[in-house]
């Protein structure tokens, strides 16, 4: 019986090495486990390697995590497996690699054909976007939005509280006058702290 397990993790396989390994597993059917974790395999190298998976009928576990092949490289791998009706793949590991929607759609196609395949990756771009915190709104923009909602002319409002026309008011007075307009000032700050001792007219107009 020939070689069944091959661990080349953390070696500089790169493009030429990936192609040679692909050629080898295309010709030799005894290999069941292949670990190419962190082997400097980029997307182009992954595409060259992946062609072997359209023919190999023995490989069961493939580890290719932490390579710079990104989502297109992962996509190439599962696309070639989809072409192989006799594929023996049961595990695909793309740990540490963020995948995009194209990969996710192709993964669905693969799981429909081979529902027992276990696939891991570094997360999806779509899910990451959902988890991203909402962008912060500058407090002065929030203030302007508040005045628009209340239909208040901000210049006229500022003039009434800046009766000496110094064009600057203290932060404490600004907060107090904002509350008179019906604003809940903690919400207006929206996570961005006003760090000013005074508020200039030019900053909010």
């Amino acid at each position: 019986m020939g070689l069944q397990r091959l661990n080349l993790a953390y070696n500089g396989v790169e493009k030429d090495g990936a192609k040679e390994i692909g050629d080898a597993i295309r010709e030799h059917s005894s290999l069941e486990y292949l670990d190419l974790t962190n082997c400097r395999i980029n997307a182009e190298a992954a595409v060259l390697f992946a062609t072997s998976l359209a023919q190999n009928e023995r490989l069961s576990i493939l580890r290719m995590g932490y390579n710079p092949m990104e989502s297109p490289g992962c996509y190439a791998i599962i696309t070639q497996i989809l072409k192989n009706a006799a594929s023996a793949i049961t595990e695909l590991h793309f740990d540490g690699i963020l995948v995009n929607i194209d990969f996710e759609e192709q993964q669905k196609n693969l799981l429909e054909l081979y529902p027992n395949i276990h696939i891991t990756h570094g997360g999806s771009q779509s899910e990451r976007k959902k988890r991203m915190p909402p962008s912060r709104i500058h407090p002065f923009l929030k203030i302007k939005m508040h005045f628009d909602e209340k239909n208040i002319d901000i210049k006229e409002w500022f003039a009434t509280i800046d009766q000496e026309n110094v064009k600057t008011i203290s932060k404490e007075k600004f907060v107090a006058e904002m509350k008179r307009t019906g604003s809940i000032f903690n919400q207006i700050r929206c996570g961005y702290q006003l760090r000013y001792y005074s508020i200039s007219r030019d900053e909010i107009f």
Side-chain angles (χ1 to χ4, degrees), residues 10 192 202:
Y10 297 90
Y192 186 103
D202 295 334

Side-chain angles (χ1 to χ4, degrees), residues 94-113:
F94 303 121
D95 303 81
I97 303 175
L98 190 65
V99 298
N100 61 23
I101 191 169
D102 292 332
F103 173 89
E104 292 180 286
E105 291 176 355
Q106 193 73 311
Q107 178 181 243
K108 289 178 182 177
N109 295 332
L110 183 63
L111 291 174
E112 286 178 3
L113 187 62

